[in-house]
Amino acid sequence: MVISVFDLEKRTNLKKECLKIEKYLDTEMYSTLRSSYNYYNFWAMVNSFIEYWPYRYTATNIQDFFDLYQLPFEVKKMNNEQCLYYLQIILDLIMWIVKQRYLEYTSIQYKFVELRKNNSSNFKTIIENIDLIIELLNYEVVEINEHFTFIKRDADVDSILPILENEDDLRIALLEYNDFRIENNREEKKNILKKIGDYLEPNRRELSSLNKSLTDDVFFILNKFYIRHNNDGNIKFDTDEEYILWYDNLFKMMIQLIRTKNIKEIQNQLKDFKK
């Protein structure tokens, strides 16, 4: 069978891809909030409106913002995790501009409309490139709490989201657990597992009737691995890595428990056909 170069497996070097993004951002082809006729690089464009950006905190320019989070401003100085934050910041800034619909002053609102229009083709290229990079890294772009972030693809999580369409808080918690920003953060993972546990608790008796051993194990870890309680009788590990390993195991077990309930409902519906 004849194949072309387009059929070959694509390898992704995150650092190399971010360097390409950096080069594209440094090209003077962006109009700013202050000028539609002269062209500047991407970060000069950002600095022209940063005072209106509600997430700037105390930063008065983008360099200040990176410094606040102790992130290098040059890609060559970044590790892989910092590269992901770099892409996330860029995407968040662009999508904020794209979604900007109103401000206090009509004249400023008009300028934002012009800013979107004048930079639309450049924004489209950047968004498409980031989407492709993230996809090749086996992540997906997800908007959570008005911010865009990168979630590790998880077929198990995806399989239960449709059955939780009326449980927005739980859906967000399930997605947040695989957020790249908390991959090694024991405290954040613990908080998310507690949220999921709080959802399961009122249904504990029903879940136990469907799968007693799995239900018992889920609540044992919730109660004995420093998630819901800090008792002396809790299981103690020497490192956060060991806790995170068990927290990740618990997350998988919780997904299975939620799925078990859904499978039982499907089986009950099937009974009518079997009659």
Side-chain angles (χ1 to χ4, degrees):
M1 178 180 178
V2 178
I3 63 172
S4 73
V5 66
F6 302 105
D7 298 306
L8 300 177
E9 182 182 358
K10 294 180 285 294
R11 304 284 183 178
T12 304
N13 182 315
L14 179 57
K15 186 76 165 279
K16 187 176 180 180
E17 293 296 337
C18 285
L19 285 168
K20 286 159 62 178
I21 292 279
E22 182 179 54
K23 185 177 180 181
Y24 191 77
L25 299 186
D26 200 40
T27 306
E28 294 186 348
M29 56 184 180
Y30 303 87
S31 69
T32 69
L33 197 65
R34 301 187 183 98
S35 173
S36 301
Y37 306 103
N38 298 315
Y39 294 95
Y40 305 87
N41 69 24
F42 179 85
W43 298 116
M45 182 268 295
V46 170
N47 284 336
S48 75
F49 69 76
I50 197 168
E51 63 189 284
Y52 302 105
W53 191 39
Y55 310 109
R56 68 180 178 88
Y57 303 105
T58 59
T60 56
N61 57 60
I62 196 62
Q63 179 75 63
D64 282 350
F65 184 80
F66 274 73
D67 289 345
L68 278 172
Y69 290 95
Q70 298 181 318
L71 290 171
F73 194 58
E74 296 176 83
V75 171
K76 67 181 180 181
K77 297 179 181 178
M78 296 179 185
N79 57 35
N80 278 347
E81 182 182 10
Q82 291 167 335
C83 281
L84 287 172
Y85 276 109
Y86 176 72
L87 295 179
Q88 186 206 16
I89 291 168
I90 295 166
L91 186 61
D92 231 37
L93 283 163
I94 291 176
M95 296 309 295
W96 181 80
I97 298 170
V98 170
K99 295 198 303 182
Q100 192 63 24
R101 291 292 180 268
Y102 58 88
L103 284 168
E104 185 177 354
Y105 302 105
T106 304
S107 61
I108 298 298
Q109 180 184 6
Y110 172 77
K111 286 185 177 181
F112 266 99
V113 172
E114 289 296 301
L115 189 70
R116 290 198 302 272
K117 184 172 69 174
N118 293 338
N119 294 300
S120 60
S121 62
N122 296 330
F123 288 169
K124 182 174 182 291
T125 299
I126 296 168
I127 292 170
E128 287 177 348
N129 283 14
I130 291 177
D131 280 344
L132 282 170
I133 294 167
I134 295 307
E135 182 180 346
L136 289 169
L137 291 169
N138 200 33
Y139 286 87
E140 60 182 323
V141 178
V142 175
E143 184 178 9
I144 297 177
N145 298 326
E146 299 183 351
H147 290 286
F148 288 84
T149 189
F150 311 134
I151 304 297
K152 196 74 172 176
R153 290 181 182 275
D154 189 323
D156 287 334
V157 172
D158 291 345
S159 71
I160 64 170
L161 290 179
I163 67 177
L164 299 170
E165 58 183 356
N166 296 321
E167 302 287 347
D168 288 344
D169 289 344
L170 182 62
R171 286 167 60 90
I172 290 174
L174 289 165
L175 287 170
E176 283 180 324
Y177 194 85
N178 286 320
D179 193 322
F180 82 95
R181 296 171 297 178
I182 68 163
E183 188 173 354
N184 298 306
N185 190 320
R186 174 188 167 189
E187 191 64 24
E188 287 297 326
K189 289 195 168 194
K190 181 193 79 172
N191 292 336
I192 292 172
L193 292 172
K194 187 177 183 301
K195 285 182 186 177
I196 301 172
D198 290 344
Y199 165 81
L200 295 175
E201 181 67 49
N203 304 303
R204 184 171 179 176
R205 180 174 295 180
E206 179 187 3
L207 293 170
S208 186
S209 70
L210 299 173
N211 191 327
K212 187 177 188 308
S213 63
L214 179 58
T215 303
D216 289 348
D217 288 346
V218 163
F219 284 96
F220 176 81
I221 298 176
L222 278 170
N223 295 329
K224 294 294 187 179
F225 283 61
Y226 291 99
I227 297 172
R228 299 209 295 190
H229 306 293
N230 293 316
N231 300 330
D232 291 338
N234 281 1
I235 307 298
K236 293 181 174 61
F237 295 114
D238 294 329
T239 65
D240 279 354
E241 287 76 12
E242 291 175 283
Y243 281 104
I244 288 173
L245 172 64
W246 276 102
Y247 288 1
D248 290 349
N249 287 337
L250 173 61
F251 182 68
K252 295 173 186 175
M253 294 162 72
M254 286 174 150
I255 290 173
Q256 182 61 29
L257 199 55
I258 295 170
R259 185 187 289 117
T260 298
K261 182 179 178 182
N262 180 241
I263 294 299
K264 185 63 177 178
E265 291 171 354
I266 293 172
Q267 287 180 301
N268 287 335
Q269 294 171 18
L270 187 62
K271 287 179 181 178
D272 292 335
F273 294 99
K274 294 172 75 173
K275 289 178 182 177

